Amino acid sequence: MSISLSSLILLPIWINMSQIQQGGPDEKEKTTALKDLLSRIDLDELMKKDEPPLDFPDTLEGFEYAFNEKGQLRHIKTGEPFVFNYREDLHRWNQKRYEALGEIITKYVYDLLEKDCNLKKIFIPVDATESEPKSFIFMSEDALTNPQKLMVLIHGSGVVRAGQWARKLIINEDLDSGTQIPFIKRAMDEGYGVIVLNPNENCIEVEKPKTHVQSSSDSSDEPVEKRERKDKVSKETKKRRDFYEKYRNPQREKEMMQLYIRENGSPEEHTVYVWDHFIAKSAAENVFFVAHSYGGLAFVELMIQREADVKSKVTAVALTDSVHNVWHQEAGKTIREWMRENCCNWVSSSEPLDTSVESMLPDCPRVSAGKDSP
């Protein structure tokens, strides 16, 4: 296992300090001197020698990757799959690189939904002002006017966004495995209108404004000497905190704050909002849901809040590895009975496809998805 440059430099100092601190009072001066030495080390510069800048491309081409004709992500020069450990022993940097690539793939999938699936991007809230935070969903041209059938897709929690089931599968397997595109195309081929929810797009991030922290001496009526002592302690505390923060996070990133989207601040809120403003107003006689993981929990919450409306409009619900819990969510008896008749949860299992799988909860049937992992 390789050892970073900073570790090699700092290790003897830490060891020496440990040995000195085990000594008697006469060693206190040495301890103080070593602490002073450590405080003089510019860890910003030291650590930057270990970790490259967190500055990544904003296009697939910049990463030198592209999706081939099979929908697989491959290096444009070597043809190899994506490599997570691009820089050995730099996990944080590799993770940031992976996340940057993931953001590009999210935009790539959005583009496919519009260009390849012919869906429309619809911004929400529907009455949003120009300046307020917004989210969006995707709909087929006939989503609200199709008189027969409407398919609604809800993904799970985490980094995934509209059109995705699992980012990991998109990157490591292919687009068909990790996106909702095969479901969307088949539904449209079979005459369904389609609505694709975006339940994880709950807020926008903006840079946090810098605030001036007033020192205790600015507003205190305490004696001057006492204020000076307190200010000195405060400065020393801040110095130590900054020292360790430099070591932990040498490339200090911008502090961000979240501005939540009105009536869409959580997956559950988003699902109810889209129901009220789109699904409930659709002309379809039969509405079908496909909900994965946390999407199943969001659907159950929708049932709890709009039970009569859901029962009158929804024909069937296909859940996949749903994490809903009718007890914790306090779903009533009538909801549980409806779910037993109208829902099915396909779960990860080594059993053959559609084999019944035992459930501890008195809700919908559970059957094998025919594979061990989602």
Side-chain angles (χ1 to χ4, degrees):
M1 182 179 72
S2 62
I3 300 175
S4 65
L5 174 63
S6 58
S7 299
L8 286 171
I9 293 173
L10 292 173
L11 187 59
I13 299 175
W14 292 120
I15 293 173
N16 206 354
M17 277 191 67
S18 178
Q19 291 171 341
I20 289 172
Q21 286 170 345
Q22 291 173 8
D26 293 341
E27 304 295 344
K28 286 184 178 179
E29 285 188 21
K30 292 182 182 179
T31 303
T32 302
L34 277 173
K35 285 182 177 178
D36 181 63
L37 173 62
L38 282 173
S39 70
R40 294 169 187 269
I41 295 174
D42 190 340
L43 285 174
D44 262 333
E45 293 303 318
L46 185 63
M47 293 291 287
K48 282 176 184 175
K49 293 177 183 178
D50 284 329
E51 183 180 76
L54 301 175
D55 184 20
F56 303 105
D58 57 6
T59 64
L60 279 178
E61 293 77 14
F63 270 94
E64 298 189 325
Y65 281 95
F67 286 100
N68 61 22
E69 66 281 356
K70 295 180 180 179
Q72 301 166 321
L73 188 67
R74 294 292 182 265
H75 195 278
I76 57 177
K77 293 180 180 177
T78 66
E80 292 296 313
F82 177 75
V83 176
F84 178 86
N85 289 316
Y86 188 76
R87 301 254 185 172
E88 188 179 353
D89 213 26
L90 288 176
H91 179 81
R92 177 176 177 270
W93 188 89
N94 288 329
Q95 179 64 34
K96 292 291 183 182
R97 172 175 174 265
Y98 177 82
E99 291 168 5
L101 176 64
E103 291 303 309
I104 295 170
I105 286 174
T106 291
K107 293 173 184 175
Y108 184 86
V109 172
Y110 286 159
D111 197 48
L112 288 178
L113 294 180
E114 292 188 274
K115 295 181 179 177
D116 199 31
C117 299
N118 297 312
L119 301 184
K120 297 185 299 179
K121 181 188 282 189
I122 308 295
F123 287 92
I124 53 176
V126 293
D127 59 347
T129 63
E130 181 121 2
S131 59
E132 77 171 292
K134 304 174 192 67
S135 181
F136 49 86
I137 59 174
F138 292 89
M139 299 196 312
S140 62
E141 288 284 349
D142 66 339
L144 302 184
T145 59
N146 188 315
Q148 297 298 323
K149 300 182 289 187
L150 174 65
M151 178 75 72
V152 181
L153 302 176
I154 315 178
H155 60 62
S157 61
V159 296
V160 290
R161 295 294 186 269
Q164 301 180 48
W165 292 128
R167 177 185 287 182
K168 180 179 178 181
L169 290 178
I170 296 172
I171 293 175
N172 297 322
E173 299 293 332
D174 53 45
L175 289 167
D176 279 357
S177 299
T179 74
Q180 298 172 348
I181 291 173
F183 289 75
I184 295 167
K185 288 185 173 180
R186 179 168 177 179
M188 294 176 75
D189 287 344
E190 295 187 11
Y192 289 80
V194 174
I195 296 181
V196 178
L197 271 61
N198 203 7
N200 292 335
E201 191 73 12
N202 308 127
C203 61
I204 62 170
E205 287 196 337
V206 296
E207 190 172 353
K208 194 173 184 179
K210 293 179 180 177
T211 56
H212 172 68
V213 179
Q214 193 176 34
S215 70
S216 59
S217 58
D218 292 340
S219 58
S220 174
D221 293 330
E222 293 177 327
V224 174
E225 289 184 4
K226 188 173 182 181
R227 289 204 308 268
E228 287 177 349
R229 285 198 302 272
K230 287 179 70 174
D231 286 345
K232 183 178 179 181
V233 170
S234 177
K235 287 175 183 177
E236 288 296 322
T237 301
K238 183 178 183 301
K239 188 176 179 181
R240 287 195 298 271
R241 185 172 62 245
D242 289 348
F243 172 83
Y244 289 114
E245 176 62 20
K246 280 184 178 182
Y247 185 79
R248 186 186 69 81
N249 185 14
Q251 299 186 63
R252 185 173 295 174
E253 299 167 64
K254 294 178 181 177
E255 282 193 80
M256 307 298 286
M257 61 184 291
Q258 296 177 329
L259 300 178
Y260 281 89
I261 297 161
R262 176 165 52 91
E263 298 182 81
N264 287 268
S266 70
E268 295 92 328
E269 265 194 8
H270 174 80
T271 304
V272 171
Y273 184 89
V274 176
W275 175 272
D276 288 345
H277 290 82
F278 299 95
I279 304 169
K281 296 178 180 180
S282 68
E285 186 178 340
N286 300 288
V287 176
F288 301 85
F289 275 78
V290 179
H292 175 62
S293 187
Y294 200 89
L297 184 149
F299 175 79
V300 172
E301 184 62 29
L302 171 65
M303 277 217 74
I304 292 169
Q305 295 195 35
R306 301 288 187 270
E307 181 178 352
D309 293 341
V310 170
K311 286 180 176 179
S312 69
K313 204 163 181 69
V314 176
T315 300
V317 181
L319 304 171
T320 59
D321 280 309
S322 175
V323 297
H324 71 274
N325 187 304
V326 292
W327 292 137
H328 292 165
Q329 293 180 258
E330 299 182 353
K333 180 181 178 182
T334 55
I335 290 175
R336 299 196 302 269
E337 289 173 348
W338 186 91
M339 289 182 66
R340 277 196 291 271
E341 295 298 322
N342 297 276
C343 301
C344 184
N345 189 12
W346 278 265
V347 299
S348 301
S349 170
S350 58
E351 296 294 325
L353 179 66
D354 292 333
T355 302
S356 180
V357 176
E358 187 177 356
S359 173
M360 298 286 290
L361 296 174
D363 53 12
C364 60
R366 285 162 41 103
V367 298
S368 172
K371 54 196 305 187
D372 285 325
S373 57

